[in-house]
Amino acid sequence: MPLSTASLLKGFEMDPFQFPSRRSVVHSTEGIVACPQPLAAKCGIEVLRAGGNAADAAVAVAAGLNMTEPCSTGIGGDMFILFWDAATKQVKAMNGSGRSGAKCTLDAVRKDLNIPDDKTPPMPFKCIHTVTVPGAPAGWVDTVERFGSGKVTMSQILEPAIQLGEKGFPVSEITSHAWQGSEDLIRGASPNFAEMLKKDPAAKDGVRAPKPGEVMKNPTLAQTFRTLAAEGKKGFYTGRIAEELVQVVRDLGGFLELDDLKHHMEAGSEPVEPISLKFQGQGLGEDGVELWEHPPNGQGIVALIALGILQQMEKQGTIPKFGPQDLHSTAYLHAIIEALRLGFTDAAWYVTDPHFSPVPQGILSDEYLAERAKLFSPTQAAQHLEHGKPVSPALQSSDTVYFTVTDSQGNAASFINSNYAGFGTAIIPKGCGFTLQNRGGNFSLDPKHPNKLEPRKRPYHTIIPAMATNLRDGSLHSTFGVMGGFMQPQGHVQVLLGQVVGGLNPQQALDSPRICLGAGMPDDNNEVAWTVNVEDGVPEETVEGLRKLGHTVKVLKGFDRSMFGRGQIIRYHEDAVDKTLVWSAGSDMRGDGAAYPM
């Protein structure tokens, strides 16, 4: 049975140590959409009301977000889903990320970029060779087919977003800010830039980025959605859309071909076994949780490694049992920072397409995590971290939008979709209304690296959805995520611990100030190269305490706080008296959206 109201709401009342959120938790017995865009959330609510379940509604939200927040996500990018199946009480996972082209060899790309044999620079983020096959279109179709209710069609699911594109929608504040900041990029990326800008006779070339509150239309994207709805995956990966996609990439010097798109269509999105770690530390015991993440090529394993190392630190006596009063203390944040640094150091080497280079199974073992935890010092930031060497058997199994949807049957979809860096490459296939992702920017150009660029390979992927279940009975604890490049596993650890250690409710856990380790990765020489970015609101004495421990700390305010991501959480409990299912949700104040009940 799920946890009782009393167990869930422990800490929902305000006390001196809890973060004073300005938003209330949203409760519903029928289902909730927690999403960074109100109009996209409305797309999901419409599908739930039409008889769809959480998975159906999630695809509707993803399409609505493509329309309303193309500066973060779209059908030209990738997606991942974790799905809580209420009937089987299981977390299921599907990888909807695309691959490099068959002719995208390391030698060919290095030659085209004029890279000397003795140099291994990072892949240029805005390079044409970062375009990988879009996984989202197949992922949307496969989500509905594998996890959907069977009661709504793809046309019904995409229609609310189509209406937004054809009739127009008012652009929100944060989206407008990002859109205006990317206007030059859009103009310079491809000859079809006008499709992603607002028509204005007074503007240069008759188009410009939309301002807050202005109405934006995208009829070409609406037509792309209609084609996908009518023809399924074939409508995107073959025919006009595929031909325009390949044409613009080839015209700009890329190597993608029609066969690469057809290959992804036929292979489909990959069902995978989620990976998890049981967290019973901090005195939780049987009241602990199991954190569920996607396996590589996603970076969810970073959150699991960090959480496991924190648990081992406590066993080794190098950190105390923390409580609500410690959430913004120097000791608490130092422990989280050091655990995350160890997680990222391992991930930087081991996370790649597991079909090419499987992750060592022992990377999540107690023995390995205990050895890594011994590198922690409570009095000093670690120096010159290198990846560990767990046992060799294979593990079986950016700018972004994260959202989560639940339904009245108890199902939950934890869903993430992304272009990667803002508009991705900002390259627009003619007459299609979307930009192509630059996910290939995470490939290594080092021939010795496991994540090196190879044909038909998936790169290290930043986007990760999460879920947690209760160890006591296996019921769903929460469905959640924090978007934002390498911030994502860092956000997962912080918002989960905020709830289970700090006693925060979902909204408080999201609103509480966060930290972010720079880009989240060590530099090419495995030196400590990240800055600890601290969100305005963390106590001044904590910031100074971190500096005294040897951390390079930077406090971020205003729009710079976008580095800390935008999260969503929906918690699950059963009313103690009448046994009714209740969803309780929070939505990040750093975004334009909220949690919307049925």
Side-chain angles (χ1 to χ4, degrees):
M1 297 295 290
L3 294 186
S4 67
T5 305
S7 298
L8 172 75
L9 300 184
K10 182 172 64 176
F12 267 48
E13 298 83 7
M14 300 297 288
D15 72 34
F17 300 121
Q18 289 179 327
F19 186 77
S21 294
R22 294 183 179 182
R23 293 180 174 184
S24 299
V25 174
V26 173
H27 304 284
S28 174
T29 59
E30 297 298 320
I32 292 180
V33 177
C35 167
Q37 288 289 337
L39 296 174
K42 185 171 178 283
C43 295
I45 294 293
E46 287 184 31
V47 170
L48 287 176
R49 288 175 177 164
N53 69 0
D56 300 320
V59 172
V61 174
L65 283 163
N66 189 171
M67 281 293 178
T68 59
E69 196 173 324
C71 52
S72 300
T73 188
I75 199 169
D78 286 341
M79 57 75 63
F80 290 79
I81 182 174
L82 290 176
F83 184 73
W84 172 257
D85 188 330
T88 62
K89 307 298 182 188
Q90 290 180 310
V91 178
K92 299 178 179 179
M94 189 182 74
N95 181 332
S97 63
R99 302 168 178 84
S100 58
K103 292 187 177 180
C104 295
T105 66
L106 186 60
D107 287 344
V109 170
R110 286 178 62 97
K111 181 179 179 181
D112 192 65
L113 295 175
N114 296 312
I115 297 173
D117 290 343
D118 61 339
K119 302 293 183 182
T120 55
M123 177 80 85
F125 254 37
K126 298 303 179 183
C127 166
I128 186 62
H129 301 303
T130 65
V131 177
T132 47
V133 174
W140 293 1
V141 173
D142 291 334
T143 292
V144 172
E145 291 181 353
R146 293 173 185 172
F147 306 128
S149 65
K151 297 179 181 179
V152 288
T153 65
M154 201 65 185
S155 292
Q156 288 175 283
I157 290 168
L158 296 181
E159 186 62 27
I162 290 169
Q163 291 300 312
L164 289 174
E166 292 177 345
K167 295 179 179 180
F169 59 90
V171 176
S172 63
E173 303 259 346
I174 295 174
T175 297
S176 172
H177 182 268
W179 216 319
Q180 292 180 67
S182 297
E183 182 173 341
D184 288 345
L185 171 65
I186 295 168
R187 286 180 177 277
S190 70
N192 309 313
F193 61 86
E195 293 185 35
M196 297 301 297
L197 297 173
K198 178 179 173 63
K199 292 181 179 179
D200 180 353
K204 177 184 177 182
D205 301 322
V207 292
R208 59 171 171 78
K211 299 174 183 178
E214 289 189 328
V215 173
M216 179 72 186
K217 296 181 180 180
N218 193 337
T220 52
L221 180 57
Q223 184 55 48
T224 294
F225 286 174
R226 289 197 183 280
T227 302
L228 183 69
E231 302 177 28
K233 288 182 278 189
K234 185 177 180 180
F236 186 95
Y237 293 100
T238 66
R240 182 189 70 85
I241 296 172
E243 290 165 3
E244 292 293 351
L245 192 161
V246 169
Q247 184 67 53
V248 72
V249 171
R250 301 289 291 186
D251 287 348
L252 294 170
F255 301 143
L256 279 185
E257 297 187 333
L258 286 172
D259 275 351
D260 298 320
L261 274 68
K262 185 179 179 183
H263 172 265
H264 188 84
M265 177 189 72
E266 292 174 345
S269 309
E270 184 181 8
V272 292
E273 287 297 320
I275 55 177
S276 66
L277 183 132
K278 294 178 173 66
F279 184 74
Q280 296 177 285
Q282 299 297 308
L284 291 170
E286 289 185 357
D287 290 326
V289 293
E290 187 165 4
L291 175 61
W292 296 86
E293 299 277 358
H294 257 270
N297 57 315
Q299 65 173 344
I301 200 167
V302 174
L304 301 182
I305 293 171
L307 205 61
I309 287 173
L310 284 167
Q311 195 159 235
Q312 295 299 327
M313 288 177 185
E314 185 183 0
K315 289 180 180 179
Q316 293 169 10
T318 52
I319 63 171
K321 176 184 174 184
F322 293 112
Q325 71 276 8
D326 299 309
L327 290 191
H328 301 119
S329 70
T330 298
Y332 178 80
L333 292 181
H334 174 58
I336 289 176
I337 289 164
E338 294 297 276
L340 285 167
R341 290 171 70 196
L342 287 163
F344 275 121
T345 303
D346 277 349
W349 184 259
Y350 291 116
V351 172
T352 185
D353 189 332
H355 297 291
F356 287 74
S357 182
V359 177
Q361 185 175 9
I363 204 165
L364 292 178
S365 68
D366 287 344
E367 294 78 12
Y368 178 71
L369 295 173
E371 283 300 309
R372 298 296 276 168
K374 290 177 183 177
L375 298 174
F376 172 74
S377 167
T379 61
Q380 183 180 340
Q383 302 295 316
H384 310 298
L385 293 174
E386 295 183 359
H387 65 81
K389 296 180 180 179
V391 295
S392 58
L395 176 68
Q396 300 303 318
S397 69
S398 27
D399 286 89
T400 302
V401 290
Y402 171 81
F403 58 91
T404 183
V405 183
T406 59
D407 61 37
S408 58
Q409 289 76 49
N411 302 303
S414 187
F415 200 106
I416 199 157
N417 209 118
S418 177
N419 297 328
Y420 199 21
F423 282 92
T425 59
I427 295 167
I428 304 162
K430 185 178 180 180
C432 298
F434 62 85
T435 61
L436 296 173
Q437 65 185 349
N438 59 335
R439 188 56 62 178
N442 273 349
F443 278 123
S444 173
L445 295 177
D446 181 354
K448 298 178 182 178
H449 200 290
N451 188 42
K452 64 181 179 289
L453 174 65
E454 296 179 78
R456 297 267 168 91
K457 184 177 182 179
R458 288 167 163 159
Y460 180 118
H461 225 294
T462 58
I463 63 174
I464 49 171
M467 281 186 173
T469 52
N470 295 297
L471 289 180
R472 183 178 294 276
D473 59 8
S475 62
L476 182 66
H477 173 277
S478 56
T479 169
F480 69 98
V482 178
M483 64 192 78
F486 295 102
M487 175 63 202
Q488 293 177 59
Q490 305 181 59
H492 288 192
V493 170
Q494 291 174 76
V495 301
L496 182 62
L497 290 179
Q499 294 175 88
V500 300
V501 173
L504 302 182
N505 68 41
Q507 190 61 56
Q508 292 169 329
L510 290 168
D511 289 353
S512 182
R514 299 197 277 263
I515 58 97
C516 177
L517 305 182
M521 300 292 274
D523 65 14
D524 290 339
N525 297 315
N526 266 333
E527 298 293 329
V528 177
W530 39 54
T531 296
V532 179
N533 297 285
V534 175
E535 190 170 16
D536 185 30
V538 170
E540 215 171 293
E541 58 268 29
T542 296
V543 173
E544 289 307 311
L546 291 173
R547 286 177 175 145
K548 288 177 181 177
L549 290 173
H551 295 289
T552 301
V553 182
K554 184 178 181 181
V555 178
L556 300 184
K557 303 179 180 181
F559 272 109
D560 289 341
R561 294 168 65 214
S562 63
M563 175 173 282
F564 302 104
R566 296 172 291 159
Q568 319 291 333
I569 302 173
I570 304 179
R571 289 270 295 275
Y572 174 60
H573 75 277
E574 191 175 80
D575 185 277
V577 178
D578 67 10
K579 308 303 181 186
T580 302
L581 162 69
V582 180
W583 299 110
S584 303
S587 181
D588 208 307
M589 64 177 181
R590 301 165 188 83
D592 287 321
Y596 301 87
M598 273 280 286

